[in-house]
């Protein structure tokens, strides 16, 4: 692991994490953190020791050629830092990795130790799950926390889930016990089109991060990728009458369930969000459509 002396002093740092595997349907969550890393030029400053946490028969290393030299990339979890400047300056500590095969409690404690040394003020964890949701509707994203005060202050759900969990749930609870404010966003991915990538779900998660942290995230080609993804799934569904009928059933169920949301309060929230995004737009640049909205 790289020594933390190599990391400059951070400004109001927030840790944003996602893990490939069980908690990452359609690779939506890991792709969101990857987008943040790429769009802001993240610099890796630490990597956990792969020997401690991964079964290499489950997550195998890969061999590649660096010029004429053979090298091995080991499955691991890496940390990078990016600096955000709009609308204010702050740093994001990004965690990108694979769900560990073993020693989950030690894994979380190592990440929490790094968070403490870096002065992290909040942890945001991203996840994605398969659900009975139609691809033609906005991606449902739920925000949960184990902190009752945080839930009330940020209008989030207080976590009441009981059942099997992954590293996302374990890390959330570890942060809660360590006294670090933590929010987890879950995007629902249509189970009938579960193969990655799912740029529409990735975009929905990034919108939630943007709202929570009050930052402007350059979206690049993601909105266009999301539109192309939806059109592609539309075409696949049109070629299969059973799938088309099933999608229609999901649409009807979704629309019926959300009728109470067609209220003045819901519309006002969405308009307020639109105005905030428009105000943060750089001068002279038109706003792009967002299929995740």
């Amino acid at each position: 692991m790289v020594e933390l002396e190599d990391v400059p002093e951070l400004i109001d740092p927030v840790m944003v994490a996602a893990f490939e595997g069980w908690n990452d349907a359609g690779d939506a969550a890991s792709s969101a953190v990857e987008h943040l890393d790429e769009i802001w030029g993240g610099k890796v400053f630490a990597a956990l020791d792969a020997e401690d946490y991964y079964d290499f028969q489950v997550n195998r290393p890969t061999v590649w050629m660096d010029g004429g030299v053979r090298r091995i990339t080991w499955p691991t979890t890496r940390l990078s830092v990016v600096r955000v400047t709009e609308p204010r300056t702050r740093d994001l500590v990004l965690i990108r990795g694979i769900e560990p095969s073993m020693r989950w409690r030690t894994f979380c404690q190592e990440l929490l130790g790094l968070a403490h040394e870096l002065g992290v003020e909040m942890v945001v964890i991203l996840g994605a799950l398969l659900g009975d949701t139609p691809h033609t509707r906005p991606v449902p994203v739920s925000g949960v926390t184990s902190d009752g005060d945080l839930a009330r202050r940020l209008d989030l759900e207080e976590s009441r889930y009981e059942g099997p969990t992954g590293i996302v749930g374990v890390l959330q609870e570890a942060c809660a016990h360590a006294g670090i404010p933590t929010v987890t966003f879950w995007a629902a991915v249509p189970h009938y089109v579960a193969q990655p990538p799912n740029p529409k779900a990735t975009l929905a998660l990034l919108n939630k991060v943007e709202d929570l942290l009050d930052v402007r995230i350059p979206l690049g080609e993601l909105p266009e990728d999301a539109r192309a993804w939806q059109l592609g799934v539309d075409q696949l569904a049109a070629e299969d009458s059973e799938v088309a009928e099933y999608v229609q059933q999901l649409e009807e169920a979704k629309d019926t369930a959300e009728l109470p949301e067609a209220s003045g309060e819901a519309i006002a929230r969405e308009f307020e969000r639109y105005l905030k995004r428009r105000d943060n737009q750089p001068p002279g640049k038109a706003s792009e459509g967002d299929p995740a909205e």
Side-chain angles (χ1 to χ4, degrees), residues 10-65:
L10 303 183
I11 301 173
D12 300 332
V14 173
M15 185 173 277
V16 183
F19 302 93
E20 299 173 22
W22 196 64
N23 302 130
D24 193 26
D27 290 355
S30 58
S31 294
V33 174
E34 182 179 4
H35 178 84
L36 296 176
D37 189 78
E38 291 180 352
I39 206 76
W40 279 315
K43 298 179 180 178
V44 174
F45 66 86
L48 304 191
D49 190 340
E51 293 278 353
D52 292 340
Y53 304 114
Y54 295 98
D55 180 345
F56 298 139
Q57 291 183 324
V58 176
N59 297 292
R60 292 185 179 274
T62 56
V63 178
W64 56 286
M65 297 299 296

Side-chain angles (χ1 to χ4, degrees), residues 66-283:
D66 181 9
V69 181
R70 290 171 62 84
R71 300 191 184 279
I72 295 179
T73 298
W74 297 92
T76 188
T77 294
R78 294 180 173 84
L79 290 83
S80 59
V81 63
V82 299
R83 176 150 294 178
V84 184
T85 58
E86 295 181 21
R88 66 186 181 91
T89 300
R90 80 177 317 162
D91 292 308
L92 302 184
V93 178
L94 306 178
I95 298 179
R96 297 171 57 196
I98 304 169
E99 183 176 65
S101 307
M102 60 195 80
R103 301 186 184 91
W104 284 17
R105 287 177 292 186
T106 305
F107 178 86
C108 292
Q109 288 304 314
E110 187 165 358
L111 291 180
L112 289 175
L114 288 166
H116 177 73
E117 290 188 59
L118 294 168
V120 166
E121 300 177 348
M122 174 183 285
V123 175
V124 181
I125 311 173
L126 306 181
L129 46 80
L130 298 178
D132 294 325
T133 181
H135 72 279
T136 54
R137 297 294 185 265
V139 176
V141 179
S142 58
V144 298
T145 179
S146 298
D147 186 320
D149 292 337
L150 194 63
R152 288 185 290 274
R153 180 160 56 89
L154 300 178
D155 193 25
L156 302 168
E157 298 177 29
E158 191 170 355
S159 180
R160 300 294 182 188
Y161 171 75
E162 296 179 330
T165 191
I167 193 62
V168 166
V170 174
L171 179 58
Q172 177 180 316
E173 289 307 302
C175 290
H177 288 302
I180 301 177
T182 306
V183 175
T184 301
F185 288 120
W186 289 98
V189 172
H191 67 85
Y192 58 88
V193 58
Q195 65 272 22
N198 189 317
K200 185 173 180 179
T202 294
L203 190 57
L205 285 169
L206 289 173
N207 285 339
K208 289 295 185 179
V209 172
E210 191 174 51
D211 289 346
L212 176 69
L213 302 183
D214 191 25
V215 298
R216 181 184 176 274
I217 300 175
L219 298 177
E221 297 180 358
L222 261 178
E224 183 58 35
D225 290 343
R227 283 189 286 269
W229 176 87
Q230 182 164 322
L231 287 174
V233 180
D234 286 344
Q235 293 172 359
L236 291 174
E239 295 170 1
D240 189 318
S241 59
E242 291 186 1
V243 173
E245 182 179 354
Y246 179 62
V247 172
Q248 183 178 359
Q249 292 174 358
L250 291 178
E251 290 173 338
E252 292 173 353
K254 181 76 171 176
D255 294 344
T256 300
E258 291 188 346
L259 281 177
E261 283 298 312
S263 64
E265 183 180 352
I267 294 172
R269 285 200 305 269
E270 289 303 308
F271 186 62
E272 181 180 358
R273 185 179 190 282
Y274 162 75
L275 291 176
K276 182 185 295 186
R277 288 177 62 85
R278 188 189 66 175
D279 291 342
N280 288 337
Q281 195 76 18

